Structure formats: C-alpha cells, structure tokens
Amino acid sequence: MQVSMKARIIKICNEKIASKGSNVGLSFYAFFSNKNEDPEALMEVAQWWIMEMKLDHFEKAEKIKSLVSQL
C-alpha cells in the first residue's frame, strides 16, 4: 500500500476516533470522497481490506489503524 494512502487512513481513523470515540466503525469507503477520483487507490485498499485481511464491511477504526501501522 502506498505510503500516502497509509498516512491518509491513519489520519482519518484518528479523526473519527477523536470525534466519535474509540468504538467507531469504518468501511474502506471512509478513506475516499464520494467521487471516484482515484479508482486505482480504491481498488488497492479494497483488495487489502477484503481479500488480504478478510475484514467485515465495517471494522473498528482502532483495529484498522493498528493493521495499517504494521504495513
């Protein structure tokens, strides 16, 4: 996963945790705008989320942050 995408995911997880608490759940769509501006990045994250990590549609932001930090 690209360094810039990892940083973006961690930043968004931190923002969601700060605003909604440590129990907040996210889907991989949370890291993208509603417009499909970067389909390659979307597919890269979707591949990692669904195929590699076998995560559910919604996962705790703390878990995602931890997993991405280990990459």
mmCIF file with all atom_site columns, all heavy atoms in Angstrom, residues 15-42:
data_model
loop_
_atom_site.group_PDB
_atom_site.id
_atom_site.type_symbol
_atom_site.label_atom_id
_atom_site.label_alt_id
_atom_site.label_comp_id
_atom_site.label_asym_id
_atom_site.label_entity_id
_atom_site.label_seq_id
_atom_site.pdbx_PDB_ins_code
_atom_site.Cartn_x
_atom_site.Cartn_y
_atom_site.Cartn_z
_atom_site.occupancy
_atom_site.B_iso_or_equiv
_atom_site.pdbx_formal_charge
_atom_site.auth_seq_id
_atom_site.auth_comp_id
_atom_site.auth_asym_id
_atom_site.auth_atom_id
_atom_site.pdbx_PDB_model_num
ATOM 1   N N   . GLU A 1 15 ? -9.058  10.997 13.279  1.00 0.00 ? 15 GLU A N   1
ATOM 2   C CA  . GLU A 1 15 ? -10.128 11.998 13.296  1.00 0.00 ? 15 GLU A CA  1
ATOM 3   C C   . GLU A 1 15 ? -11.448 11.388 13.757  1.00 0.00 ? 15 GLU A C   1
ATOM 4   O O   . GLU A 1 15 ? -12.157 11.977 14.577  1.00 0.00 ? 15 GLU A O   1
ATOM 5   C CB  . GLU A 1 15 ? -10.299 12.614 11.907  1.00 0.00 ? 15 GLU A CB  1
ATOM 6   C CG  . GLU A 1 15 ? -9.159  13.499 11.485  1.00 0.00 ? 15 GLU A CG  1
ATOM 7   C CD  . GLU A 1 15 ? -9.229  13.926 10.024  1.00 0.00 ? 15 GLU A CD  1
ATOM 8   O OE1 . GLU A 1 15 ? -10.121 13.443 9.278   1.00 0.00 ? 15 GLU A OE1 1
ATOM 9   O OE2 . GLU A 1 15 ? -8.379  14.739 9.623   1.00 0.00 ? 15 GLU A OE2 1
ATOM 10  N N   . LYS A 1 16 ? -11.793 10.225 13.240  1.00 0.00 ? 16 LYS A N   1
ATOM 11  C CA  . LYS A 1 16 ? -13.050 9.571  13.616  1.00 0.00 ? 16 LYS A CA  1
ATOM 12  C C   . LYS A 1 16 ? -13.040 9.154  15.084  1.00 0.00 ? 16 LYS A C   1
ATOM 13  O O   . LYS A 1 16 ? -14.043 9.302  15.787  1.00 0.00 ? 16 LYS A O   1
ATOM 14  C CB  . LYS A 1 16 ? -13.317 8.355  12.724  1.00 0.00 ? 16 LYS A CB  1
ATOM 15  C CG  . LYS A 1 16 ? -13.554 8.700  11.281  1.00 0.00 ? 16 LYS A CG  1
ATOM 16  C CD  . LYS A 1 16 ? -14.845 9.465  11.093  1.00 0.00 ? 16 LYS A CD  1
ATOM 17  C CE  . LYS A 1 16 ? -15.114 9.693  9.627   1.00 0.00 ? 16 LYS A CE  1
ATOM 18  N NZ  . LYS A 1 16 ? -16.338 10.432 9.392   1.00 0.00 ? 16 LYS A NZ  1
ATOM 19  N N   . ILE A 1 17 ? -11.910 8.637  15.550  1.00 0.00 ? 17 ILE A N   1
ATOM 20  C CA  . ILE A 1 17 ? -11.786 8.235  16.955  1.00 0.00 ? 17 ILE A CA  1
ATOM 21  C C   . ILE A 1 17 ? -11.932 9.460  17.851  1.00 0.00 ? 17 ILE A C   1
ATOM 22  O O   . ILE A 1 17 ? -12.632 9.412  18.873  1.00 0.00 ? 17 ILE A O   1
ATOM 23  C CB  . ILE A 1 17 ? -10.450 7.507  17.199  1.00 0.00 ? 17 ILE A CB  1
ATOM 24  C CG1 . ILE A 1 17 ? -10.454 6.147  16.480  1.00 0.00 ? 17 ILE A CG1 1
ATOM 25  C CG2 . ILE A 1 17 ? -10.177 7.327  18.689  1.00 0.00 ? 17 ILE A CG2 1
ATOM 26  C CD1 . ILE A 1 17 ? -9.076  5.506  16.349  1.00 0.00 ? 17 ILE A CD1 1
ATOM 27  N N   . ALA A 1 18 ? -11.291 10.563 17.476  1.00 0.00 ? 18 ALA A N   1
ATOM 28  C CA  . ALA A 1 18 ? -11.358 11.795 18.269  1.00 0.00 ? 18 ALA A CA  1
ATOM 29  C C   . ALA A 1 18 ? -12.780 12.350 18.331  1.00 0.00 ? 18 ALA A C   1
ATOM 30  O O   . ALA A 1 18 ? -13.219 12.845 19.373  1.00 0.00 ? 18 ALA A O   1
ATOM 31  C CB  . ALA A 1 18 ? -10.407 12.837 17.695  1.00 0.00 ? 18 ALA A CB  1
ATOM 32  N N   . SER A 1 19 ? -13.514 12.244 17.227  1.00 0.00 ? 19 SER A N   1
ATOM 33  C CA  . SER A 1 19 ? -14.856 12.831 17.198  1.00 0.00 ? 19 SER A CA  1
ATOM 34  C C   . SER A 1 19 ? -15.962 11.898 17.685  1.00 0.00 ? 19 SER A C   1
ATOM 35  O O   . SER A 1 19 ? -16.969 12.368 18.214  1.00 0.00 ? 19 SER A O   1
ATOM 36  C CB  . SER A 1 19 ? -15.189 13.332 15.793  1.00 0.00 ? 19 SER A CB  1
ATOM 37  O OG  . SER A 1 19 ? -15.343 12.262 14.895  1.00 0.00 ? 19 SER A OG  1
ATOM 38  N N   . LYS A 1 20 ? -15.772 10.587 17.515  1.00 0.00 ? 20 LYS A N   1
ATOM 39  C CA  . LYS A 1 20 ? -16.862 9.650  17.847  1.00 0.00 ? 20 LYS A CA  1
ATOM 40  C C   . LYS A 1 20 ? -16.498 8.596  18.874  1.00 0.00 ? 20 LYS A C   1
ATOM 41  O O   . LYS A 1 20 ? -17.322 7.746  19.214  1.00 0.00 ? 20 LYS A O   1
ATOM 42  C CB  . LYS A 1 20 ? -17.360 8.979  16.572  1.00 0.00 ? 20 LYS A CB  1
ATOM 43  C CG  . LYS A 1 20 ? -17.938 9.985  15.594  1.00 0.00 ? 20 LYS A CG  1
ATOM 44  C CD  . LYS A 1 20 ? -18.632 9.320  14.448  1.00 0.00 ? 20 LYS A CD  1
ATOM 45  C CE  . LYS A 1 20 ? -19.208 10.408 13.548  1.00 0.00 ? 20 LYS A CE  1
ATOM 46  N NZ  . LYS A 1 20 ? -20.296 9.941  12.745  1.00 0.00 ? 20 LYS A NZ  1
ATOM 47  N N   . GLY A 1 21 ? -15.248 8.583  19.331  1.00 0.00 ? 21 GLY A N   1
ATOM 48  C CA  . GLY A 1 21 ? -14.842 7.625  20.351  1.00 0.00 ? 21 GLY A CA  1
ATOM 49  C C   . GLY A 1 21 ? -14.150 6.403  19.775  1.00 0.00 ? 21 GLY A C   1
ATOM 50  O O   . GLY A 1 21 ? -14.188 6.142  18.575  1.00 0.00 ? 21 GLY A O   1
ATOM 51  N N   . SER A 1 22 ? -13.528 5.643  20.654  1.00 0.00 ? 22 SER A N   1
ATOM 52  C CA  . SER A 1 22 ? -12.701 4.507  20.238  1.00 0.00 ? 22 SER A CA  1
ATOM 53  C C   . SER A 1 22 ? -13.498 3.332  19.695  1.00 0.00 ? 22 SER A C   1
ATOM 54  O O   . SER A 1 22 ? -12.926 2.409  19.132  1.00 0.00 ? 22 SER A O   1
ATOM 55  C CB  . SER A 1 22 ? -11.828 4.046  21.401  1.00 0.00 ? 22 SER A CB  1
ATOM 56  O OG  . SER A 1 22 ? -12.637 3.596  22.468  1.00 0.00 ? 22 SER A OG  1
ATOM 57  N N   . ASN A 1 23 ? -14.799 3.362  19.831  1.00 0.00 ? 23 ASN A N   1
ATOM 58  C CA  . ASN A 1 23 ? -15.632 2.255  19.373  1.00 0.00 ? 23 ASN A CA  1
ATOM 59  C C   . ASN A 1 23 ? -16.184 2.477  17.957  1.00 0.00 ? 23 ASN A C   1
ATOM 60  O O   . ASN A 1 23 ? -16.952 1.661  17.463  1.00 0.00 ? 23 ASN A O   1
ATOM 61  C CB  . ASN A 1 23 ? -16.777 2.040  20.363  1.00 0.00 ? 23 ASN A CB  1
ATOM 62  C CG  . ASN A 1 23 ? -17.230 0.607  20.406  1.00 0.00 ? 23 ASN A CG  1
ATOM 63  O OD1 . ASN A 1 23 ? -16.483 -0.307 20.076  1.00 0.00 ? 23 ASN A OD1 1
ATOM 64  N ND2 . ASN A 1 23 ? -18.469 0.395  20.823  1.00 0.00 ? 23 ASN A ND2 1
ATOM 65  N N   . VAL A 1 24 ? -15.785 3.563  17.300  1.00 0.00 ? 24 VAL A N   1
ATOM 66  C CA  . VAL A 1 24 ? -16.328 3.901  15.986  1.00 0.00 ? 24 VAL A CA  1
ATOM 67  C C   . VAL A 1 24 ? -15.881 2.880  14.939  1.00 0.00 ? 24 VAL A C   1
ATOM 68  O O   . VAL A 1 24 ? -14.755 2.412  14.944  1.00 0.00 ? 24 VAL A O   1
ATOM 69  C CB  . VAL A 1 24 ? -15.923 5.337  15.560  1.00 0.00 ? 24 VAL A CB  1
ATOM 70  C CG1 . VAL A 1 24 ? -14.446 5.466  15.337  1.00 0.00 ? 24 VAL A CG1 1
ATOM 71  C CG2 . VAL A 1 24 ? -16.693 5.773  14.325  1.00 0.00 ? 24 VAL A CG2 1
ATOM 72  N N   . GLY A 1 25 ? -16.815 2.541  14.051  1.00 0.00 ? 25 GLY A N   1
ATOM 73  C CA  . GLY A 1 25 ? -16.521 1.616  12.967  1.00 0.00 ? 25 GLY A CA  1
ATOM 74  C C   . GLY A 1 25 ? -16.447 2.352  11.629  1.00 0.00 ? 25 GLY A C   1
ATOM 75  O O   . GLY A 1 25 ? -17.099 3.374  11.441  1.00 0.00 ? 25 GLY A O   1
ATOM 76  N N   . LEU A 1 26 ? -15.632 1.823  10.734  1.00 0.00 ? 26 LEU A N   1
ATOM 77  C CA  . LEU A 1 26 ? -15.455 2.410  9.402   1.00 0.00 ? 26 LEU A CA  1
ATOM 78  C C   . LEU A 1 26 ? -15.479 1.325  8.346   1.00 0.00 ? 26 LEU A C   1
ATOM 79  O O   . LEU A 1 26 ? -15.129 0.179  8.612   1.00 0.00 ? 26 LEU A O   1
ATOM 80  C CB  . LEU A 1 26 ? -14.093 3.121  9.310   1.00 0.00 ? 26 LEU A CB  1
ATOM 81  C CG  . LEU A 1 26 ? -13.797 4.236  10.283  1.00 0.00 ? 26 LEU A CG  1
ATOM 82  C CD1 . LEU A 1 26 ? -12.352 4.680  10.122  1.00 0.00 ? 26 LEU A CD1 1
ATOM 83  C CD2 . LEU A 1 26 ? -14.730 5.395  10.057  1.00 0.00 ? 26 LEU A CD2 1
ATOM 84  N N   . SER A 1 27 ? -15.857 1.711  7.135   1.00 0.00 ? 27 SER A N   1
ATOM 85  C CA  . SER A 1 27 ? -15.668 0.847  5.976   1.00 0.00 ? 27 SER A CA  1
ATOM 86  C C   . SER A 1 27 ? -14.519 1.434  5.170   1.00 0.00 ? 27 SER A C   1
ATOM 87  O O   . SER A 1 27 ? -14.097 2.565  5.412   1.00 0.00 ? 27 SER A O   1
ATOM 88  C CB  . SER A 1 27 ? -16.931 0.775  5.122   1.00 0.00 ? 27 SER A CB  1
ATOM 89  O OG  . SER A 1 27 ? -17.058 1.927  4.321   1.00 0.00 ? 27 SER A OG  1
ATOM 90  N N   . PHE A 1 28 ? -14.013 0.710  4.194   1.00 0.00 ? 28 PHE A N   1
ATOM 91  C CA  . PHE A 1 28 ? -12.893 1.244  3.420   1.00 0.00 ? 28 PHE A CA  1
ATOM 92  C C   . PHE A 1 28 ? -13.303 2.453  2.587   1.00 0.00 ? 28 PHE A C   1
ATOM 93  O O   . PHE A 1 28 ? -12.473 3.235  2.168   1.00 0.00 ? 28 PHE A O   1
ATOM 94  C CB  . PHE A 1 28 ? -12.194 0.178  2.567   1.00 0.00 ? 28 PHE A CB  1
ATOM 95  C CG  . PHE A 1 28 ? -13.013 -0.404 1.457   1.00 0.00 ? 28 PHE A CG  1
ATOM 96  C CD1 . PHE A 1 28 ? -13.061 0.208  0.215   1.00 0.00 ? 28 PHE A CD1 1
ATOM 97  C CD2 . PHE A 1 28 ? -13.706 -1.584 1.645   1.00 0.00 ? 28 PHE A CD2 1
ATOM 98  C CE1 . PHE A 1 28 ? -13.798 -0.346 -0.818  1.00 0.00 ? 28 PHE A CE1 1
ATOM 99  C CE2 . PHE A 1 28 ? -14.437 -2.147 0.627   1.00 0.00 ? 28 PHE A CE2 1
ATOM 100 C CZ  . PHE A 1 28 ? -14.488 -1.525 -0.617  1.00 0.00 ? 28 PHE A CZ  1
ATOM 101 N N   . TYR A 1 29 ? -14.595 2.629  2.370   1.00 0.00 ? 29 TYR A N   1
ATOM 102 C CA  . TYR A 1 29 ? -15.068 3.805  1.635   1.00 0.00 ? 29 TYR A CA  1
ATOM 103 C C   . TYR A 1 29 ? -14.838 5.092  2.414   1.00 0.00 ? 29 TYR A C   1
ATOM 104 O O   . TYR A 1 29 ? -14.827 6.178  1.830   1.00 0.00 ? 29 TYR A O   1
ATOM 105 C CB  . TYR A 1 29 ? -16.557 3.683  1.307   1.00 0.00 ? 29 TYR A CB  1
ATOM 106 C CG  . TYR A 1 29 ? -16.868 2.628  0.281   1.00 0.00 ? 29 TYR A CG  1
ATOM 107 C CD1 . TYR A 1 29 ? -17.575 1.490  0.627   1.00 0.00 ? 29 TYR A CD1 1
ATOM 108 C CD2 . TYR A 1 29 ? -16.449 2.771  -1.036  1.00 0.00 ? 29 TYR A CD2 1
ATOM 109 C CE1 . TYR A 1 29 ? -17.863 0.518  -0.314  1.00 0.00 ? 29 TYR A CE1 1
ATOM 110 C CE2 . TYR A 1 29 ? -16.730 1.807  -1.994  1.00 0.00 ? 29 TYR A CE2 1
ATOM 111 C CZ  . TYR A 1 29 ? -17.438 0.685  -1.615  1.00 0.00 ? 29 TYR A CZ  1
ATOM 112 O OH  . TYR A 1 29 ? -17.715 -0.271 -2.558  1.00 0.00 ? 29 TYR A OH  1
ATOM 113 N N   . ALA A 1 30 ? -14.634 5.011  3.728   1.00 0.00 ? 30 ALA A N   1
ATOM 114 C CA  . ALA A 1 30 ? -14.427 6.198  4.554   1.00 0.00 ? 30 ALA A CA  1
ATOM 115 C C   . ALA A 1 30 ? -13.165 6.959  4.161   1.00 0.00 ? 30 ALA A C   1
ATOM 116 O O   . ALA A 1 30 ? -13.033 8.137  4.475   1.00 0.00 ? 30 ALA A O   1
ATOM 117 C CB  . ALA A 1 30 ? -14.345 5.795  6.025   1.00 0.00 ? 30 ALA A CB  1
ATOM 118 N N   . PHE A 1 31 ? -12.257 6.321  3.454   1.00 0.00 ? 31 PHE A N   1
ATOM 119 C CA  . PHE A 1 31 ? -10.982 6.929  3.115   1.00 0.00 ? 31 PHE A CA  1
ATOM 120 C C   . PHE A 1 31 ? -10.982 7.594  1.739   1.00 0.00 ? 31 PHE A C   1
ATOM 121 O O   . PHE A 1 31 ? -9.953  8.053  1.268   1.00 0.00 ? 31 PHE A O   1
ATOM 122 C CB  . PHE A 1 31 ? -9.877  5.870  3.205   1.00 0.00 ? 31 PHE A CB  1
ATOM 123 C CG  . PHE A 1 31 ? -9.944  5.107  4.491   1.00 0.00 ? 31 PHE A CG  1
ATOM 124 C CD1 . PHE A 1 31 ? -10.246 3.756  4.506   1.00 0.00 ? 31 PHE A CD1 1
ATOM 125 C CD2 . PHE A 1 31 ? -9.755  5.739  5.701   1.00 0.00 ? 31 PHE A CD2 1
ATOM 126 C CE1 . PHE A 1 31 ? -10.332 3.055  5.693   1.00 0.00 ? 31 PHE A CE1 1
ATOM 127 C CE2 . PHE A 1 31 ? -9.845  5.053  6.906   1.00 0.00 ? 31 PHE A CE2 1
ATOM 128 C CZ  . PHE A 1 31 ? -10.140 3.702  6.896   1.00 0.00 ? 31 PHE A CZ  1
ATOM 129 N N   . PHE A 1 32 ? -12.169 7.669  1.134   1.00 0.00 ? 32 PHE A N   1
ATOM 130 C CA  . PHE A 1 32 ? -12.306 8.233  -0.204  1.00 0.00 ? 32 PHE A CA  1
ATOM 131 C C   . PHE A 1 32 ? -13.479 9.202  -0.245  1.00 0.00 ? 32 PHE A C   1
ATOM 132 O O   . PHE A 1 32 ? -14.430 9.059  0.509   1.00 0.00 ? 32 PHE A O   1
ATOM 133 C CB  . PHE A 1 32 ? -12.529 7.116  -1.239  1.00 0.00 ? 32 PHE A CB  1
ATOM 134 C CG  . PHE A 1 32 ? -11.391 6.141  -1.284  1.00 0.00 ? 32 PHE A CG  1
ATOM 135 C CD1 . PHE A 1 32 ? -11.395 5.003  -0.500  1.00 0.00 ? 32 PHE A CD1 1
ATOM 136 C CD2 . PHE A 1 32 ? -10.292 6.392  -2.083  1.00 0.00 ? 32 PHE A CD2 1
ATOM 137 C CE1 . PHE A 1 32 ? -10.336 4.117  -0.514  1.00 0.00 ? 32 PHE A CE1 1
ATOM 138 C CE2 . PHE A 1 32 ? -9.219  5.514  -2.108  1.00 0.00 ? 32 PHE A CE2 1
ATOM 139 C CZ  . PHE A 1 32 ? -9.245  4.374  -1.325  1.00 0.00 ? 32 PHE A CZ  1
ATOM 140 N N   . SER A 1 33 ? -13.403 10.165 -1.160  1.00 0.00 ? 33 SER A N   1
ATOM 141 C CA  . SER A 1 33 ? -14.527 11.079 -1.356  1.00 0.00 ? 33 SER A CA  1
ATOM 142 C C   . SER A 1 33 ? -15.639 10.333 -2.094  1.00 0.00 ? 33 SER A C   1
ATOM 143 O O   . SER A 1 33 ? -15.428 9.234  -2.604  1.00 0.00 ? 33 SER A O   1
ATOM 144 C CB  . SER A 1 33 ? -14.084 12.299 -2.152  1.00 0.00 ? 33 SER A CB  1
ATOM 145 O OG  . SER A 1 33 ? -13.678 11.929 -3.448  1.00 0.00 ? 33 SER A OG  1
ATOM 146 N N   . ASN A 1 34 ? -16.787 10.931 -2.158  1.00 0.00 ? 34 ASN A N   1
ATOM 147 C CA  . ASN A 1 34 ? -17.916 10.283 -2.842  1.00 0.00 ? 34 ASN A CA  1
ATOM 148 C C   . ASN A 1 34 ? -17.700 10.176 -4.337  1.00 0.00 ? 34 ASN A C   1
ATOM 149 O O   . ASN A 1 34 ? -18.339 9.384  -5.006  1.00 0.00 ? 34 ASN A O   1
ATOM 150 C CB  . ASN A 1 34 ? -19.213 11.046 -2.551  1.00 0.00 ? 34 ASN A CB  1
ATOM 151 C CG  . ASN A 1 34 ? -19.679 10.809 -1.134  1.00 0.00 ? 34 ASN A CG  1
ATOM 152 O OD1 . ASN A 1 34 ? -19.351 9.813  -0.522  1.00 0.00 ? 34 ASN A OD1 1
ATOM 153 N ND2 . ASN A 1 34 ? -20.431 11.750 -0.607  1.00 0.00 ? 34 ASN A ND2 1
ATOM 154 N N   . LYS A 1 35 ? -16.794 10.987 -4.871  1.00 0.00 ? 35 LYS A N   1
ATOM 155 C CA  . LYS A 1 35 ? -16.477 10.900 -6.291  1.00 0.00 ? 35 LYS A CA  1
ATOM 156 C C   . LYS A 1 35 ? -15.364 9.881  -6.484  1.00 0.00 ? 35 LYS A C   1
ATOM 157 O O   . LYS A 1 35 ? -14.475 9.756  -5.662  1.00 0.00 ? 35 LYS A O   1
ATOM 158 C CB  . LYS A 1 35 ? -16.028 12.263 -6.808  1.00 0.00 ? 35 LYS A CB  1
ATOM 159 C CG  . LYS A 1 35 ? -17.108 13.309 -6.710  1.00 0.00 ? 35 LYS A CG  1
ATOM 160 C CD  . LYS A 1 35 ? -16.600 14.637 -7.181  1.00 0.00 ? 35 LYS A CD  1
ATOM 161 C CE  . LYS A 1 35 ? -17.700 15.667 -7.032  1.00 0.00 ? 35 LYS A CE  1
ATOM 162 N NZ  . LYS A 1 35 ? -17.238 17.007 -7.317  1.00 0.00 ? 35 LYS A NZ  1
ATOM 163 N N   . ASN A 1 36 ? -15.430 9.160  -7.549  1.00 0.00 ? 36 ASN A N   1
ATOM 164 C CA  . ASN A 1 36 ? -14.425 8.139  -7.837  1.00 0.00 ? 36 ASN A CA  1
ATOM 165 C C   . ASN A 1 36 ? -13.223 8.795  -8.522  1.00 0.00 ? 36 ASN A C   1
ATOM 166 O O   . ASN A 1 36 ? -12.983 8.611  -9.704  1.00 0.00 ? 36 ASN A O   1
ATOM 167 C CB  . ASN A 1 36 ? -15.035 7.036  -8.701  1.00 0.00 ? 36 ASN A CB  1
ATOM 168 C CG  . ASN A 1 36 ? -14.157 5.812  -8.738  1.00 0.00 ? 36 ASN A CG  1
ATOM 169 O OD1 . ASN A 1 36 ? -13.162 5.727  -8.030  1.00 0.00 ? 36 ASN A OD1 1
ATOM 170 N ND2 . ASN A 1 36 ? -14.522 4.872  -9.567  1.00 0.00 ? 36 ASN A ND2 1
ATOM 171 N N   . GLU A 1 37 ? -12.463 9.557  -7.725  1.00 0.00 ? 37 GLU A N   1
ATOM 172 C CA  . GLU A 1 37 ? -11.337 10.321 -8.266  1.00 0.00 ? 37 GLU A CA  1
ATOM 173 C C   . GLU A 1 37 ? -10.073 9.481  -8.456  1.00 0.00 ? 37 GLU A C   1
ATOM 174 O O   . GLU A 1 37 ? -9.220  9.825  -9.253  1.00 0.00 ? 37 GLU A O   1
ATOM 175 C CB  . GLU A 1 37 ? -11.036 11.502 -7.346  1.00 0.00 ? 37 GLU A CB  1
ATOM 176 C CG  . GLU A 1 37 ? -12.181 12.487 -7.273  1.00 0.00 ? 37 GLU A CG  1
ATOM 177 C CD  . GLU A 1 37 ? -12.015 13.510 -6.175  1.00 0.00 ? 37 GLU A CD  1
ATOM 178 O OE1 . GLU A 1 37 ? -11.141 13.348 -5.299  1.00 0.00 ? 37 GLU A OE1 1
ATOM 179 O OE2 . GLU A 1 37 ? -12.782 14.480 -6.191  1.00 0.00 ? 37 GLU A OE2 1
ATOM 180 N N   . ASP A 1 38 ? -9.951  8.404  -7.705  1.00 0.00 ? 38 ASP A N   1
ATOM 181 C CA  . ASP A 1 38 ? -8.736  7.592  -7.779  1.00 0.00 ? 38 ASP A CA  1
ATOM 182 C C   . ASP A 1 38 ? -9.104  6.108  -7.709  1.00 0.00 ? 38 ASP A C   1
ATOM 183 O O   . ASP A 1 38 ? -8.935  5.458  -6.669  1.00 0.00 ? 38 ASP A O   1
ATOM 184 C CB  . ASP A 1 38 ? -7.788  7.975  -6.640  1.00 0.00 ? 38 ASP A CB  1
ATOM 185 C CG  . ASP A 1 38 ? -6.405  7.385  -6.808  1.00 0.00 ? 38 ASP A CG  1
ATOM 186 O OD1 . ASP A 1 38 ? -6.201  6.530  -7.704  1.00 0.00 ? 38 ASP A OD1 1
ATOM 187 O OD2 . ASP A 1 38 ? -5.515  7.773  -6.032  1.00 0.00 ? 38 ASP A OD2 1
ATOM 188 N N   . PRO A 1 39 ? -9.634  5.556  -8.802  1.00 0.00 ? 39 PRO A N   1
ATOM 189 C CA  . PRO A 1 39 ? -10.099 4.169  -8.773  1.00 0.00 ? 39 PRO A CA  1
ATOM 190 C C   . PRO A 1 39 ? -8.993  3.162  -8.463  1.00 0.00 ? 39 PRO A C   1
ATOM 191 O O   . PRO A 1 39 ? -9.251  2.134  -7.846  1.00 0.00 ? 39 PRO A O   1
ATOM 192 C CB  . PRO A 1 39 ? -10.696 3.937  -10.159 1.00 0.00 ? 39 PRO A CB  1
ATOM 193 C CG  . PRO A 1 39 ? -10.177 5.026  -11.009 1.00 0.00 ? 39 PRO A CG  1
ATOM 194 C CD  . PRO A 1 39 ? -9.843  6.175  -10.103 1.00 0.00 ? 39 PRO A CD  1
ATOM 195 N N   . GLU A 1 40 ? -7.760  3.453  -8.849  1.00 0.00 ? 40 GLU A N   1
ATOM 196 C CA  . GLU A 1 40 ? -6.666  2.515  -8.568  1.00 0.00 ? 40 GLU A CA  1
ATOM 197 C C   . GLU A 1 40 ? -6.397  2.420  -7.075  1.00 0.00 ? 40 GLU A C   1
ATOM 198 O O   . GLU A 1 40 ? -6.205  1.327  -6.528  1.00 0.00 ? 40 GLU A O   1
ATOM 199 C CB  . GLU A 1 40 ? -5.413  2.928  -9.337  1.00 0.00 ? 40 GLU A CB  1
ATOM 200 C CG  . GLU A 1 40 ? -5.579  2.716  -10.826 1.00 0.00 ? 40 GLU A CG  1
ATOM 201 C CD  . GLU A 1 40 ? -4.568  3.477  -11.653 1.00 0.00 ? 40 GLU A CD  1
ATOM 202 O OE1 . GLU A 1 40 ? -3.731  4.207  -11.080 1.00 0.00 ? 40 GLU A OE1 1
ATOM 203 O OE2 . GLU A 1 40 ? -4.633  3.342  -12.881 1.00 0.00 ? 40 GLU A OE2 1
ATOM 204 N N   . ALA A 1 41 ? -6.400  3.568  -6.376  1.00 0.00 ? 41 ALA A N   1
ATOM 205 C CA  . ALA A 1 41 ? -6.197  3.554  -4.929  1.00 0.00 ? 41 ALA A CA  1
ATOM 206 C C   . ALA A 1 41 ? -7.365  2.864  -4.223  1.00 0.00 ? 41 ALA A C   1
ATOM 207 O O   . ALA A 1 41 ? -7.166  2.099  -3.282  1.00 0.00 ? 41 ALA A O   1
ATOM 208 C CB  . ALA A 1 41 ? -6.015  4.974  -4.398  1.00 0.00 ? 41 ALA A CB  1
ATOM 209 N N   . LEU A 1 42 ? -8.572  3.129  -4.704  1.00 0.00 ? 42 LEU A N   1
ATOM 210 C CA  . LEU A 1 42 ? -9.760  2.487  -4.127  1.00 0.00 ? 42 LEU A CA  1
ATOM 211 C C   . LEU A 1 42 ? -9.646  0.972  -4.251  1.00 0.00 ? 42 LEU A C   1
ATOM 212 O O   . LEU A 1 42 ? -9.885  0.235  -3.290  1.00 0.00 ? 42 LEU A O   1
ATOM 213 C CB  . LEU A 1 42 ? -11.024 2.993  -4.817  1.00 0.00 ? 42 LEU A CB  1
ATOM 214 C CG  . LEU A 1 42 ? -12.330 2.338  -4.371  1.00 0.00 ? 42 LEU A CG  1
ATOM 215 C CD1 . LEU A 1 42 ? -12.652 2.681  -2.935  1.00 0.00 ? 42 LEU A CD1 1
ATOM 216 C CD2 . LEU A 1 42 ? -13.468 2.768  -5.280  1.00 0.00 ? 42 LEU A CD2 1
#
